[in-house]
């Protein structure tokens, strides 16, 4: 069996350091707030090239507080994509705003900047690009559109820890960046965790108030807030792992490069990294015309895979919207029918990559020509 992920391998590598970090918190008794939280916020913000970090209990909470801190209100519209984990759209709904979808670019699975301006109305307040699978969206044209239309930009960087775009880190380019530390991410906690990053001190201050009941001091709330605090034990563990993140990312990128070489002319479409960007490969996601059959056959060969994501948001019954119907976002819909994520993690071996690629080549129709990622 080749597992999709191997989270225990990370722990085995860092066991003495993680155990010491957890013991440190247990010995101090500072389980909520305190120096571990403050240190992690500073360290992760610095890693991203941002001035401030506000640690919270999940990536969804980070998105929710980012929207609130930025002043997004009921009746506002936020432009985003239908091809993402649905927490992106859910958080927009939490603040009473309306998600407005635009299609993705076929090469990157990220928002297509050429389609944004036609979606802007008098109610549009923000653009929320998702850095899907570990690659930043094409941010320069997005930021240019935002400046010209006086819109905010909130980055959903849940899968993009350490990703670069033209020398700038994910989480530092927009007004606010939002990260998840769900255990499967490149930087994962031992449970749920998240953070938002920003260069705006007012956004940071408001988010910090909102995550802890809106309290400026104990039992004196200034705002109606939430219980979105990150446990100190999670911050302590994340601080240990953050020191290894670049090395783990290098390992992911090396395995992705090996996949690229081994899967050339295999009948599947490989992921494409943009020039001048650093793809961190939270996921190595291919496209296959008969995705479901390929997934079944790989599972039968002892190889675990996953589908990210089988339905675009506008076609999910829970998020049905009378404004949208099947066919409105053809690239997103086609991607949902064909994407398949292969095993990839920092401790995957080159031999395992060879075994997975060999099975993909064996099971994929050899006569099929690799689909052009540029759509030509």
């Amino acid at each position: 069996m080749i597992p999709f992920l191997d989270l225990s391998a990370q722990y085995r590598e860092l066991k003495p350091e993680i155990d010491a970090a957890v013991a440190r918190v247990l010995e101090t008794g500072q389980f909520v707030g305190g120096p571990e939280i403050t240190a992690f916020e500073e360290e992760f913000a610095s890693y991203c090239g941002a001035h401030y970090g506000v640690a919270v209990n999940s990536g969804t909470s980070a998105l929710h507080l980012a929207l609130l801190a930025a002043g997004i209100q009921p009746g506002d519209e936020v432009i985003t994509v239908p091809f993402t984990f649905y927490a992106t759209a859910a958080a927009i709904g939490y603040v009473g705003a309306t998600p407005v979808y635009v299609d993705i670019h076929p090469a990157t699975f990220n928002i297509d900047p050429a389609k944004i301006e036609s979606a802007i109305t008098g109610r549009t307040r923000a653009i929320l690009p998702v850095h899907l699978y570990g690659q930043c969206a094409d941010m320069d044209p997005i930021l240019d559109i935002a400046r010209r239309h006086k819109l905010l930009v909130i980055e959903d960087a849940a899968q993009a820890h350490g990703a670069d775009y033209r020398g700038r880190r994910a989480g530092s380019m927009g007004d606010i960046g939002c990260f998840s530390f769900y255990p499967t991410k490149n930087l994962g906690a031992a449970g749920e965790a998240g953070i938002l990053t920003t260069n705006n001190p007012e956004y940071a201050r408001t988010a910090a108030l909102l995550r802890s009941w809106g309290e400026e001091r104990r039992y004196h709330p200034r705002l109606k807030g939430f219980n979105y605090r990150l446990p100190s034990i999670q911050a302590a563990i994340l601080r240990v792992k953050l020191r290894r993140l670049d090395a783990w990312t290098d390992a992911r990128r090396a395995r992705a490069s090996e996949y690229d070489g081994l899967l050339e002319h295999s009948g599947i479409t490989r992921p494409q990294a943009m020039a001048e960007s650093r793809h961190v490969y939270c996921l190595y996601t291919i496209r296959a015309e008969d995705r479901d059959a390929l997934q079944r056959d790989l599972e039968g060969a002892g190889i675990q895979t996953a589908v990210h994501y089988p339905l675009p948001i506008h076609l999910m019954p829970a998020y049905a919207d009378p404004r949208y119907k099947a066919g409105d976002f053809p690239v997103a819909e086609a991607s949902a029918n064909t994407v398949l994520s292969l095993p990839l993690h920092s401790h995957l071996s080159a031999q395992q990559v060879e075994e997975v690629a060999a099975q993909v080549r064996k099971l994929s129709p050899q006569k099929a020509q690799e689909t052009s990622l540029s759509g030509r």
Side-chain angles (χ1 to χ4, degrees), residues 4 59-60 81-82 160 186 268 312 366:
F4 185 69
T60 306
V81 291
N186 290 26
I268 58 90
Q366 295 300 314

Side-chain angles (χ1 to χ4, degrees), residues 89 115 118 126 141 154 161 164 213 275 284 291 305 327 354 362 373:
K115 294 182 170 65
S118 63
I154 298 172
H161 312 74
D164 287 348
W213 296 113
Y284 187 90
R291 184 267 313 284
T305 61
E354 290 176 3
K362 175 182 175 182
L373 281 166

Side-chain angles (χ1 to χ4, degrees), residues 38-314:
T38 300
F40 177 64
E41 289 174 333
E42 292 173 352
E43 290 163 6
F44 189 78
S46 176
Y47 179 80
C48 295
H51 293 314
Y52 307 100
V54 180
V56 291
N57 61 349
S58 73
T60 306
S61 298
L63 286 166
H64 185 193
L65 296 192
L67 290 160
L68 288 172
I72 306 301
Q73 300 176 359
D76 291 340
E77 293 179 351
V78 178
I79 293 173
T80 191
V81 291
F83 191 65
T84 177
F85 183 64
Y86 39 87
T88 309
I92 296 170
Y94 291 168
V95 302
T98 300
V100 174
Y101 300 124
V102 301
D103 212 348
I104 58 174
H105 194 283
T108 64
F109 302 104
N110 287 327
I111 193 167
D112 188 340
K115 294 182 170 65
I116 292 175
E117 287 196 88
S118 63
I120 294 174
T121 73
R123 294 182 296 276
T124 307
R125 288 289 313 283
I127 304 170
L128 205 168
V130 179
H131 303 322
L132 200 67
Y133 300 155
Q135 177 162 230
C136 290
D138 192 1
M139 290 298 291
D140 280 349
I142 294 169
L143 293 168
D144 178 65
I145 292 167
R147 279 192 294 268
R148 288 189 283 107
H149 292 273
K150 297 181 171 57
L151 303 176
L152 297 164
V153 175
I154 298 172
E155 300 172 65
D156 183 339
Q159 298 179 0
H161 312 74
D164 287 348
Y165 173 85
R166 296 178 178 171
R168 292 163 286 167
R169 279 272 165 93
S172 70
M173 293 175 279
D175 294 280
I176 306 176
C178 303
F179 293 85
S180 167
F181 301 119
Y182 189 73
T184 60
K185 304 300 191 220
N186 290 26
L187 180 61
E192 299 276 4
I195 199 170
L196 61 88
T197 54
T198 184
N199 292 317
N200 186 309
E202 284 305 310
Y203 292 161
R205 182 172 182 271
T206 300
L209 288 172
L210 289 170
R211 72 167 166 196
S212 187
W213 296 113
E215 292 178 334
E216 284 189 308
R217 54 193 176 94
R218 191 65 169 149
Y219 305 123
H220 289 78
R222 190 173 70 83
L223 301 171
K224 289 183 177 179
F226 308 88
N227 183 5
Y228 283 174
R229 296 181 296 246
L230 176 68
S232 299
I233 283 179
Q234 298 294 357
I237 292 170
L238 287 165
R239 291 182 68 200
V240 172
K241 289 188 171 185
L242 179 58
R243 295 193 288 268
R244 293 291 297 159
L245 180 56
D246 281 337
W248 287 346
T249 299
D250 289 343
R252 284 177 175 269
R253 285 170 52 80
R255 299 292 87 81
S257 179
E258 291 161 7
Y259 270 136
D260 284 346
L262 292 166
L263 293 175
E264 188 173 11
H265 308 306
S266 65
I268 58 90
T269 301
R270 300 165 296 168
Q272 178 175 311
M274 291 190 300
E276 301 180 68
S277 71
R278 180 180 185 247
H279 197 320
V280 297
Y281 293 98
C282 180
L283 296 164
Y284 187 90
T285 302
I286 63 172
R287 293 181 63 175
E289 289 305 313
D290 196 352
R291 184 267 313 284
D292 294 340
L294 178 59
Q295 184 177 36
R296 286 193 301 270
D297 290 343
L298 289 172
E299 189 74 23
I303 296 168
Q304 293 182 342
T305 61
V307 175
H308 301 91
Y309 298 95
L311 278 175
I313 298 172
H314 69 290

